[in-house]
Structure formats: structure tokens, C-alpha cells
Amino acid sequence: MKLILTHEVSNLGAAGDVVEVKDGYGRNYLLPRGLATPWTKGAQRQIDQMRAARKAREIASVEDARALRDALAERPVDITQRAGESGRLFGAVSSKDVAAAVKEQLGKTIDRRTVQFIEPIKSVGNYRCEVKLHPEVQAQVQLRVKAAK
């Protein structure tokens, strides 16, 4: 089955890529979740628009990405969430929370879709997450999750 990805899918491709997948994977996973659309001849214009949007979001050069990686590695990012007595969070820390905290504390903008957690963050403590800044550059961000008072 030939599909056009509308979102980034790990180990498969980025938005705008045309991929060939098994019928069951496309029909039962990618299409119902809105991660892909069927490929047609008229869809080439849609592919070009997605690539242009991705290019606008992407950091322009490797040097800029490395500078941002160094800024993210300098100090940990503090995230405050509501937690219970035992330190367990009501919910979990999301990629949106990380992107907002980085923008607020460091003044740097990262795309929330590029944040990947090594493990789910569901309690107070110190954690790490990865941010894919450029196809060649990944950053490790240290997170300090604190309970809201």
C-alpha cells in the first residue's frame, strides 16, 4: 500500500514522505489515526506543501542546531506540576510542557513534536529527554520535575 505520511512516524518517515507499507499496517494503524493519507496522482501538491511547512519549522543549519543543543545542555529545565503526597503526578509531563518550559526559561523555541521521552515522566524527580533539532543533531535535555505548591 502506498501512502503519504501526514505526521512524523518513528522508524518510517517524516510528514510529506511517500512510503510503501503492508496493507494491514496502513489500513489498521496509519489511516485511522490520521498519520497518513492514500497516495494519488493529485496528491503531489499536498506533498510539496507539507515539505515546505516542515522546512519552515526546521532549524536552518547544522551550526544553529549545535548552538541550540549547547544552550539546552547548559542547565536543567524546571517543570512544575501538581502532585500527590507521595510525589506522583496527576497526569504526566508532556512534550508540550517541555517545549513551553524551554521557551519560558531559556528563551529558545523547540518544536514539541521533536521531543522524545526515554521513559514516561509520572513522578517528581530528575529526568532526561531527547530533542531532535536537525537530522544530524540531537540534544539531551535534563528535566527537574517539581511538585506545585
Side-chain angles (χ1 to χ4, degrees):
M1 173 181 274
K2 204 170 187 181
L3 298 172
I4 303 165
L5 295 178
T6 56
H7 294 85
E8 185 169 339
V9 179
S10 57
N11 299 329
L12 188 58
D17 290 348
V18 177
V19 294
E20 187 80 28
V21 297
K22 296 206 176 202
D23 291 346
Y25 182 57
R27 192 172 41 248
N28 297 325
Y29 182 77
L30 296 173
L31 291 173
R33 287 173 174 76
L35 299 174
T37 58
W39 183 87
T40 61
K41 289 183 181 180
Q44 187 62 42
R45 186 172 60 236
Q46 181 184 6
I47 294 169
D48 295 338
Q49 289 173 346
M50 281 190 271
R51 283 191 182 140
R54 183 177 4 143
K55 189 163 247 176
R57 281 193 315 266
E58 202 172 80
I59 298 172
S61 67
V62 177
E63 292 82 25
D64 294 341
R66 287 184 180 142
L68 181 54
R69 177 190 63 194
D70 295 340
L72 291 172
E74 277 181 19
R75 63 186 181 119
V77 176
D78 295 328
I79 297 176
T80 306
Q81 295 254 336
R82 290 182 348 130
E85 294 288 323
S86 64
R88 187 140 171 95
L89 299 178
F90 297 130
V93 174
S94 67
S95 58
K96 185 177 178 182
D97 297 332
V98 173
V102 166
K103 184 170 180 101
E104 177 187 315
Q105 295 171 26
L106 303 177
K108 307 289 183 185
T109 303
I110 59 172
D111 188 7
R112 67 173 177 78
R113 293 173 283 226
T114 61
V115 176
Q116 294 180 338
F117 295 106
I118 298 166
E119 61 185 276
I121 301 175
K122 296 185 177 185
S123 62
V124 174
N126 295 325
Y127 297 91
R128 289 180 183 249
C129 69
E130 290 185 357
V131 180
K132 188 174 182 181
L133 301 171
H134 191 270
E136 301 172 14
V137 180
Q138 288 191 357
Q140 291 277 334
V141 179
Q142 291 194 4
L143 304 172
R144 283 193 303 211
V145 181
K146 300 177 181 178
K149 306 248 172 170

